[in-house]
C-alpha cells in the first residue's frame, strides 16, 4: 500500500505531480536513474511496465491516491505532449468538470456545478487570472480563460476539489494547478522535442499550422536543469447559424389591416407609424399580438474567428544539495483574435410602433412564431473586432530543508494579463420601410427568414449608424508566500505559513458611436453634408443616413448555416474599409464608456496553521489533516457615477477551518471525508459603484461595492477502489451550503428615476435618441439568503488486460456527475397588459452554470507502435444568467462532443498523428426563457482535423 508521505496536502500535490511526470518520462524512454531516490517505484513498478497514454493515466492515479484531500490530475504522456488541443477540453474528462465553449473552443470550466468565477487557477503555484476577448464578449471578471494558452506548454494539471488550510482560498468550486516546467525530472543531457501539425476546419476550409518545440538540458550529476519551450498556432474557424437576440413583447402599428393606434382613446382616427394612443381591450388581435413574444432581431449570419497563439516558457532549476532546490519559471503567451460578423436582419427591437403585422400565428407558448410584416426595419451589419491578450508570469521558488524534520518553501512572483481591443467597429445599413418581410419559427432552430424587398440593391439602403468601441482590461497579481513544515514525530506534522497577495483589475472602455441622423432631423451628425428628415417620416422619402453606393457596399452570401428553403441567402453589407474612410470614423473623438470603465484592487494578507497525521486506530490505517486559514481582504472599488470617479473602500475577514480524512480499510480501498468553510470574493462587475446603461435594451445595472463574498460550507465523502493496476472505481458525494449568495433586484421605471445623466446613454442606441421612449428595466444587486448544491460523481477507469490477445490493448475511462442545486431569484416576467410594466416574481431555479448531468467516456487502444483514442462528452442543459424583456432566465440546451486521435510510432523518435475535434459538428443551442425555451442562437463551428508528426531526442 502507498502510505501518505510526510509532504501531505496541497503543496504535496505539486511534488507528487513532479514525481508522476518523472514516472511517465521513465516509462516513455528516460533512464531509470532519473527518478528521485524516494519515489516508490520498487518491484511492483518493474513487474508491470506501462508506457505512453497508459503511463500518464497511472501517474495521474498516483497523484490522486497519494493525497489526503480529494484531487484529480492529468499528466502529459511525454514532454510537450498534452493529450488535448485545449486545456479546458482536457479538464472536462475529469469527473465533476464541465466546460463552456465559445467560438468553437473550450474557454471556461465549471466544477461540481459551480461556474468559472468560483474556480481559482494557479500557474506554477501562483494564483492568476487570464482573460481574453474571444467569443461573443470580453471576460471582465474573475473567470480564467483557458483558451489563452497553447496546451503544449503544460505537462500536468491537478484539480483540488476539497479545501485545506494550506491551500489558497478563494474557491467554492476547485483550485486548479497548471504546471509548465520540470527540467530536473527529465533525462541527463540534452532533450529535444519538436512537433508540427496542420489544422483544418471543415466549415472555414482553412488550413493552419500548429508548431511546438522544447529544448532541455540536465547536468550529469542531476543538480542543474534548464528548459525552454515554444508553441505557435494559427487557424480560422467559422460560426454559422441564426440569432434572435432574445424575444420580446411590443405593440405594433396594425394587425391584419386593423389599426392599433388612434388619435385618442375614443377617437376613430388612426395614427399610423408614430404618436397616438394605444388602448388595451379595444382590439383583441392587437392585444394578442402585443402580448405575444416575437424575435427582437431575427437574423442569419456568419462569424469568422481568426486566432493566432504564441506561447513561450522557460524554467531553471538548481539543486546544489539534497536539502536545497531553487526554481525560476517564466511564461509568456500572446493570443490574437480577429472576429468578423456579417448579418442580415430585421430590427423589430424598439421599432414595432411603425410595423404592420399580417398573416400571423401565435403558438401554445405565446410566441408569435410566424407573420408577414410591412414597414419593417431591415438592417444589415458588418462588425469587426481585433483583440490581443498578452500574458506574462515570472516566479521563483526556494525549497530548503533546515534539518531532517523542518523545511520551508518561499514562493514569489507576479503575473499580468492585458486584454486589449484596439478596434471594435460596426457599420449599419438600414431600409426602414421594407415591405413583405416574412419569418417562420415553426421549426424554431431552423427558421425561414425571407426579405420581401430587394436586399442586394444599394438604392434601398442608407448608411445609418457607425460604431467603434475600443477597450482594455488588465489584471495583475503579486504574490509572496511562505510555507513551513515540521515533522514533530513520526506520523505527525505541523504546517504553518503566511501569504501576501495583491490583485488589481482595471478596465476602460471608449465610444465613437453615433447615429447618422438625429430623431428631430436636420444636419447629419457625422459629416454635416446631408439634411435628415424627422424620424416620424416613415416611407420612401425618409432620409436617415448616407445613401448606400456600390463603393460603400459588398455582397454577402450565406452558406451552410442550416437555413431552410425560402430563406434569403444574399444581401448587401457595408464595406468596412470604404465606409470607415468615408465617415472618418477613426478620426472621431473618443468618449468614455462609463459602464466599462472601472477598477478593483484587493490586498489579501493571511496565514494558516495545519496539523497532519497518519497512523492507525483499532487497526484501521488513516491519514488526516485539519487546520485554520485566516485571510483579511482590503478592497477598493472605483467606478463612474454621473461621470465622476467614485471610490469605495472596505475590509473584511474570513476564518476558514477545514479537515480532510483518508481511511484505508484495505490496501486498495480509500474512504475520504472532508469538511471546510470556503469563500469566493464577489463578481468584479457587481462591485462597481454607480450605474451602467444599456440603451439598446433600456436596461440600467447598479453595482454594490458592499456585497458580501460568496461563503459556503462544503462537505465531501468519497469511496475509491484501486482494484487493478491503472484502475479505479470511485464514488464521491458532495454538498455545499452557500450562506451568502448575491441576488439581483429588478424594477421598472423611467430613466429619470435612476438619477443618472442622459449623457452616459450610448448615443447610437434607441434610448440615446429617446431616453423615455419606454420603461427601463432597472437592476441592482444585494446580499441574498443563500443557496444549496449537492451531487454525486461516479468514475471507472481500467485497461482491458483481462481480455485475450489483441483485445488486452484496449482500455476505458467513464464518469458521470449528477448535481442538484437551487436558489431563489427575483426576475422580471412578461407584461400582462399591452405596453405595461414587466411583472416581478421570485423563481427557484438551479444555480447559474449548473448542469444536472454530465457524462464523459474514453475508449483507448495502445500497443508498442500504435495508439488510438475516442472520447465523448455530454453536458445537459443549464441556466446561464438572468435574461431580459420579460424572459425568465437564459441558458444552453444539452451538447454532445466527440473527439478522436490516432498515433503511430515510426521509430522511437518519430511519431505520426491524426486527430479530430468535434467530429459530429455539434450545434450550440442557446435559449431564452426557461418555460418556453425560445431560440436565442443556434450556430455550428465545423469539424477540426489535425495531422502531423513529432520528433523526440
Amino acid at each position: 500500500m502507498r502510505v501518505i508521505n510526510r509532504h501531505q496536502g496541497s503543496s504535496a500535490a505539486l511534488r507528487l505531480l513532479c514525481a508522476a511526470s518523472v514516472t511517465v518520462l521513465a516509462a516513455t524512454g528516460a533512464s531509470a536513474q532519473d527518478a528521485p531516490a524516494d519515489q516508490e517505484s520498487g518491484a511492483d513498478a518493474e513487474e508491470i511496465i506501462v508506457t505512453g497514454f497508459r503511463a500518464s493515466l497511472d501517474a495521474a492515479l498516483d497523484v490522486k491516491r497519494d493525497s489526503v484531500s480529494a484531487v484529480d490530475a492529468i499528466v502529459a504522456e511525454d514532454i510537450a505532449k498534452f493529450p488535448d488541443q485545449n486545456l479546458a477540453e482536457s479538464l472536462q474528462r475529469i469527473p465533476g468538470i464541465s466546460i463552456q465553449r465559445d467560438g468553437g473552443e473550450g474557454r471556461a470550466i465549471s466544477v461540481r456545478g459551480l461556474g468559472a468565477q468560483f474556480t481559482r487557477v494557479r500557474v506554477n503555484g501562483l494564483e492568476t487570472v487570464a482573460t481574453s476577448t474571444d467569443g461573443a464578449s470580453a471576460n471582465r471578471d474573475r473567470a480564467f480563460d483557458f483558451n489563452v494558452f497553447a496546451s503544449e506548454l503544460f505537462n500536468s494539471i491537478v484539480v483540488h476539489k476539497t479545501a485545506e488550510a494550506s491551500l489558497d482560498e478563494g474557491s467554492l468550486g476547485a483550485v486548479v494547478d497548471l504546471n509548465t516546467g520540470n527540467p530536473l525530472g527529465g533525462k541527463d543531457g540534452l532533450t529535444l522535442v519538436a512537433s508540427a501539425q496542420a489544422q483544418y476546419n471543415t466549415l472555414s476550409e482553412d488550413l493552419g499550422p500548429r508548431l511546438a518545440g522544447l529544448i532541455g538540458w540536465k547536468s550529469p550529476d542531476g543538480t542543474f536543469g534548464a528548459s525552454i519551450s515554444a508553441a505557435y498556432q494559427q487557424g480560422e474557424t467559422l460560426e454559422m447559424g441564426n440569432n434572435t437576440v432574445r424575444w420580446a413583447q411590443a405593440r405594433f402599428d396594425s394587425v391584419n389591416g386593423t389599426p392599433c393606434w388612434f388619435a385618442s382613446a375614443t377617437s376613430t382616427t388612426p395614427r399610423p407609424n408614430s404618436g397616438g394612443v394605444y388602448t388595451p381591450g379595444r382590439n383583441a388581435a392587437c392585444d394578442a399580438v402585443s402580448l405575444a413574444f416575437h424575435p427582437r432581431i431575427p437574423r442569419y449570419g456568419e462569424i469568422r474567428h481568426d486566432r493566432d497563439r504564441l506561447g513561450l516558457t522557460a524554467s531553471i532549476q538548481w539543486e546544489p544539495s539534497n536539502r536545497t532546490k531553487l526554481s525560476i519559471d517564466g511564461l509568456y503567451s500572446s493570443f490574437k483574435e480577429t472576429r468578423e460578423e456579417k448579418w442580415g436582419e430585421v430590427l423589430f427591437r424598439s421599432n414595432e410602433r411603425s410595423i404592420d403585422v399580417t398573416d400571423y400565428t401565435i403558438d401554445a407558448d405565446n410566441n408569435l412564431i410566424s407573420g408577414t410584416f410591412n414597414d419593417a426595419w431591415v438592417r444589415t451589419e458588418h462588425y469587426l473586432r481585433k483583440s490581443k491578450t498578452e500574458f506574462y508570469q515570472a516566479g521563483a521558488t526556494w525549497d530548503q530543508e533546515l534539518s531532517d524534520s523542518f523545511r520551508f518553501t518561499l514562493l514569489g512572483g507576479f503575473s499580468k494579463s492585458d486584454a486589449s481591443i484596439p478596434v471594435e467597429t460596426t457599420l449599419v445599413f438600414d431600409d426602414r420601410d421594407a415591405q413583405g418581410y416574412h419569418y417562420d419559427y415553426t421549426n424554431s432552430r431552423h427558421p425561414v427568414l425571407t426579405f420581401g424587398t430587394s436586399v442586394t440593391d444599394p438604392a434601398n439602403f442608407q448608411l445609418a449608424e457607425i460604431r467603434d468601441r475600443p477597450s482594455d482590461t488588465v489584471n495583475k497579481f503579486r504574490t509572496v508566500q511562505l510555507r513551513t513544515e515540521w515533522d514533530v514525530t513520526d506520523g505527525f506534522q505541523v504546517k504553518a505559513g503566511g501569504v501576501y497577495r495583491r490583485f488589481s483589475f482595471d478596465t476602460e472602455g471608449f465610444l465613437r458611436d453615433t447615429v447618422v441622423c438625429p430623431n428631430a432631423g436636420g444636419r447629419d451628425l457625422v459629416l454635416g453634408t446631408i439634411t435628415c428628415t424627422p424620424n416620424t417620416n416613415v416611407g420612401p422619402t425618409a432620409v436617415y443616413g448616407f445613401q448606400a453606393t456600390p463603393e460603400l457596399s459588398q455582397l454577402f452570401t450565406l452558406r451552410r448555416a442550416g437555413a431552410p428553403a425560402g430563406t434569403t441567402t444574399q444581401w448587401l453589407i457595408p464595406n468596412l474599409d470604404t465606409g470607415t474612410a468615408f465617415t472618418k470614423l477613426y478620426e472621431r473623438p473618443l468618449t468614455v464608456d462609463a459602464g466599462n470603465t472601472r477598477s478593483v484592487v484587493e490586498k489579501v494578507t493571511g496565514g494558516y496553521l495545519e496539523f497532519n497525521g497518519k497512523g492507525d486506530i483499532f487497526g484501521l490505517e488513516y491519514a488526516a489533516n485539519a487546520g485554520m486559514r485566516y485571510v483579511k481582504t482590503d478592497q477598493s472599488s472605483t467606478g463612474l457615477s454621473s461621470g465622476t470617479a467614485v471610490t469605495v473602500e472596505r475590509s473584511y475577514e474570513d476564518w476558514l477551518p477545514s479537515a480532510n480524512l483518508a481511511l484505508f480499510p484495505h490496501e486498495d480501498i480509500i474512504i475520504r471525508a472532508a469538511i471546510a468553510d470556503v469563500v469566493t470574493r464577489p463578481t468584479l462587475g457587481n462591485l462597481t459603484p454607480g450605474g451602467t446603461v444599456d440603451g439598446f435594451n433600456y436596461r440600467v445595472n447598479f453595482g454594490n461595492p458592499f456585497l458580501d463574498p460568496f461563503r459556503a460550507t462544503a462537505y465531501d465523502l468519497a469511496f475509491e477502489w484501486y482494484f487493478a493496476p491503472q484502475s479505479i472505481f470511485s464514488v464521491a458525494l458532495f454538498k455545499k451550503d452557500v450562506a451568502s449568495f448575491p441576488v439581483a433586484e429588478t424594477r421598472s421605471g423611467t430613466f429619470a428615476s435612476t438619477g443618472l445623466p442622459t449623457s452616459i446613454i450610448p448615443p447610437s442606441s434607441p434610448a440615446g435618441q429617446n431616453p423615455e421612449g419606454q420603461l427601463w428595466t432597472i437592476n441592482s444587486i444585494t446580499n441574498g439568503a443563500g443557496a444549496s448544491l449537492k451531487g454525486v460523481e461516479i468514475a471507472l477507469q481500467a485497461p482491458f488486460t483481462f481480455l485475450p490477445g489483441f483485445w488486452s490493448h484496449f482500455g476505458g475511462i467513464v464518469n458521470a456527475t449528477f448535481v442538484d442545486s437551487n436558489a431563489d431569484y427575483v426576475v422580471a416576467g412578461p407584461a400582462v397588459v399591452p405596453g405595461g410594466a414587466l411583472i416581478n416574481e421570485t423563481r427557484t431555479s438551479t444555480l447559474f452554470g449548473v448542469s444536472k448531468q454530465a457524462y464523459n467516456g474514453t475508449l483507448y487502444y495502445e500497443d508498442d507502435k500504435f495508439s488510438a483514442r475516442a472520447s465523448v462528452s455530454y453536458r445537459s442543459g443549464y441556466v446561464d444568467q438572468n435574461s431580459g424583456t420579460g424572459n425568465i432566465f437564459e441558458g444552453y440546451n444539452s451538447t454532445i462532443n466527440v473527439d478522436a486521435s490516432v498515433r503511430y510510432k515510426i521509430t522511437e523518435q518519430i511519431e505520426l498523428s491524426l486527430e479530430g475535434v468535434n467530429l459530429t459538428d455539434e450545434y450550440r443551442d442557446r435559449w431564452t426563457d426557461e418555460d418556453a425555451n425560445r431560440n436565442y442562437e443556434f450556430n455550428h463551428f465545423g469539424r477540426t482535423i489535425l495531422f502531423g508528426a513529432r520528433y523526440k531526442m
Side-chain angles (χ1 to χ4, degrees), residues 124 126 180-183 314-317 327-331 393-397:
N124 295 325
L126 297 171
T180 59
N182 181 29
S315 181
I316 299 173
Q317 293 180 321
S327 302
I328 299 175
D329 295 288
L331 172 64
Q393 186 188 69
T397 305

Side-chain angles (χ1 to χ4, degrees), residues 11-294:
S11 58
L14 296 177
R15 294 186 178 93
L16 288 166
L17 268 178
C18 293
S21 300
V22 173
T23 303
V24 175
L25 293 175
T28 53
S31 58
Q33 67 264 26
D34 294 329
D38 64 349
Q39 186 182 331
E40 298 181 62
S41 49
D44 290 341
E46 295 176 359
E47 291 173 5
I48 302 175
I49 299 174
V50 293
T51 61
F53 183 60
R54 288 190 179 185
S56 69
L57 296 178
D58 203 26
L61 284 187
D62 284 347
V63 176
K64 183 178 184 69
R65 190 171 185 170
D66 291 347
S67 176
V68 179
S69 59
V71 303
D72 281 289
I74 302 172
V75 179
E77 297 177 40
D78 203 347
I79 296 170
K81 188 181 177 184
F82 213 76
D84 287 276
Q85 303 303 314
N86 182 290
L87 294 177
E89 290 164 9
S90 291
L91 282 163
Q92 74 177 335
R93 313 203 192 289
I94 288 178
I97 295 184
S98 299
I99 70 171
Q100 183 169 348
R101 296 173 185 267
D102 209 344
E105 290 192 346
R107 180 175 180 181
I109 68 170
S110 169
V111 182
R112 290 181 167 179
L114 291 168
Q117 72 181 54
F118 298 104
T119 298
R120 298 280 69 78
V121 176
R122 302 190 300 189
V123 177
N124 295 325
L126 297 171
E127 182 181 350
T128 190
V129 173
T131 59
S132 75
T133 55
D134 200 7
S137 61
N139 174 8
R140 295 188 176 101
D141 214 330
R142 299 182 192 272
F144 187 95
D145 286 342
F146 289 88
N147 55 355
V148 169
F149 301 109
S151 61
E152 292 91 342
L153 300 176
F154 298 88
N155 56 36
S156 61
I157 301 177
V158 63
V159 180
H160 306 264
K161 293 181 178 177
T162 60
E164 299 174 272
S166 56
L167 183 66
D168 288 339
E169 84 295 335
S171 165
L172 265 63
V175 174
V176 177
D177 278 310
L178 309 179
N179 304 289
T180 59
N182 181 29
L184 287 181
K187 65 182 181 67
D188 292 349
L190 182 67
T191 296
L192 176 63
V193 179
S195 67
Q197 289 180 303
Q199 176 175 299
Y200 177 78
N201 182 268
T202 58
L203 197 57
S204 67
E205 299 179 347
D206 173 76
L207 186 67
R210 188 173 188 122
L211 308 172
L214 178 141
I215 299 175
W217 184 81
K218 178 181 174 182
S219 64
D221 61 2
T223 62
F224 183 82
S227 65
I228 59 172
S229 66
Y232 174 75
Q233 175 197 2
Q234 189 278 326
E236 180 180 299
T237 60
L238 290 182
E239 181 177 340
M240 308 292 294
N242 68 84
N243 194 311
T244 64
V245 199
R246 291 198 311 274
W247 294 55
Q249 301 166 299
R251 296 168 293 180
F252 286 84
D253 187 25
S254 70
V255 175
N256 281 343
T258 301
C260 300
W261 296 78
F262 294 86
S264 68
T266 58
S267 172
T268 59
T269 303
R271 287 295 302 267
N273 299 325
S274 64
V277 174
Y278 184 103
T279 304
R282 184 165 183 167
N283 183 286
C286 289
D287 287 352
V289 170
S290 170
L291 292 174
F293 280 83
H294 62 273

Side-chain angles (χ1 to χ4, degrees), residues 517-539:
C517 288
N519 278 346
R523 283 296 185 185
D524 72 87
L525 302 175
V526 177
L527 301 178
T529 58
I530 62 173
T531 301
C532 306
T533 58
N535 67 345
T536 53
N537 184 347
V538 178

Side-chain angles (χ1 to χ4, degrees), residues 32 128 172 260 289 322 390 400 443 513 649 729 739 794:
T128 190
L172 265 63
C260 300
V289 170
N322 290 333
E390 285 194 300
Q400 182 69 51
N443 182 344
D513 294 12
E649 297 183 350
F729 171 72
I794 304 171

Side-chain angles (χ1 to χ4, degrees), residues 140 419-421 469-474 505-511 591-599 640:
R140 295 188 176 101
S420 62
I421 304 176
R469 300 174 177 177
S471 64
D472 189 51
T473 300
V474 178
F505 159 83
D506 290 279
T507 185
E508 57 181 1
F510 301 93
L511 301 173
T591 60
V592 174
D593 181 358
N596 287 314
T597 300
R598 60 185 189 273
S599 65
L640 296 180

Side-chain angles (χ1 to χ4, degrees), residues 129 415-417 474-478 502-506:
V129 173
S415 65
K416 178 182 179 182
S417 174
V474 178
N475 292 290
K476 295 179 182 177
F477 269 95
R478 295 184 179 92
R502 185 184 188 276
F503 166 63
S504 64
F505 159 83
D506 290 279

Side-chain angles (χ1 to χ4, degrees), residues 644-950:
T644 302
V646 175
T647 299
V648 177
E649 297 183 350
R650 65 178 297 207
S651 296
Y652 54 88
E653 299 175 318
D654 285 281
W655 294 87
L656 304 171
S658 61
N660 290 268
L661 173 66
L663 301 175
F664 305 90
H666 184 272
E667 63 177 358
D668 293 324
I669 294 176
I670 303 176
I671 299 173
R672 302 186 192 275
I675 183 172
D677 283 345
V678 291
V679 63
T680 290
R681 294 175 177 88
T683 301
L684 295 173
N686 289 341
L687 292 174
T688 305
T692 63
V693 175
D694 177 359
F696 292 90
N697 298 307
Y698 283 84
R699 187 160 51 189
V700 175
N701 296 304
F702 281 97
N704 182 355
F706 294 102
L707 277 179
D708 289 336
F710 298 85
R711 294 188 173 99
T713 301
Y715 308 88
D716 287 80
L717 179 64
F719 168 85
E720 299 169 6
W721 178 27
Y722 298 84
F723 57 88
Q726 308 142 50
S727 304
I728 184 176
F729 171 72
S730 65
V731 178
L733 305 174
F734 55 89
K735 186 175 188 293
K736 298 182 191 292
D737 290 329
V738 185
S740 61
F741 187 84
V743 295
E745 293 182 325
T746 302
R747 66 178 177 89
S748 294
T750 63
F751 186 80
S753 72
T754 67
L756 297 172
T758 57
S759 59
I760 68 173
I761 302 176
S764 64
S765 67
Q769 296 292 302
N770 188 10
E772 303 296 356
Q774 65 183 65
L775 290 175
W776 289 70
T777 299
I778 303 167
N779 299 315
S780 59
I781 192 103
T782 188
N783 296 308
S788 65
L789 179 148
K790 58 186 176 182
V792 58
E793 299 170 358
I794 304 171
L796 175 64
Q797 172 181 317
F800 301 162
T801 51
F802 55 88
L803 295 176
F806 164 80
W807 300 104
S808 65
H809 294 286
F810 282 91
I813 308 167
V814 293
N815 63 67
T817 305
F818 305 93
V819 181
D820 180 33
S821 68
N822 65 80
D824 291 333
Y825 303 90
V826 177
V827 297
V832 296
V833 176
L838 302 180
I839 306 301
N840 281 359
E841 59 178 294
T842 299
R843 290 288 292 262
T844 299
S845 185
T846 61
L847 291 169
F848 292 163
V850 174
S851 292
K852 293 183 178 180
Q853 299 98 30
Y855 307 97
N856 291 286
T858 297
L859 178 67
Y860 65 86
Y861 174 91
E862 190 165 49
D863 60 27
D864 293 340
K865 293 283 189 180
F866 180 79
S867 66
R869 294 197 298 275
S871 298
V872 179
S873 297
Y874 168 84
R875 181 180 186 182
S876 66
Y878 61 95
V879 176
D880 186 47
Q881 60 185 356
N882 270 327
S883 192
T885 60
N887 296 279
I888 307 298
F889 304 124
E890 58 191 50
Y892 294 85
N893 286 316
S894 61
T895 58
I896 298 177
N897 287 94
V898 180
D899 307 323
S901 67
V902 176
R903 298 177 183 273
Y904 181 75
K905 285 185 178 180
I906 298 177
T907 68
E908 285 300 314
Q909 288 75 38
I910 301 176
E911 180 182 70
L912 303 179
S913 64
L914 175 65
E915 301 173 63
V917 179
N918 189 26
L919 291 176
T920 59
D921 192 11
E922 180 78 351
Y923 272 71
R924 179 178 61 192
D925 186 353
R926 185 179 180 187
W927 54 262
T928 185
D929 196 85
E930 186 177 44
D931 301 326
N933 201 264
R934 301 180 178 110
N935 175 2
Y936 192 125
E937 64 176 342
F938 193 69
N939 301 331
H940 71 132
F941 306 90
R943 303 166 180 85
T944 299
I945 309 298
L946 301 101
F947 53 93
R950 185 173 182 275

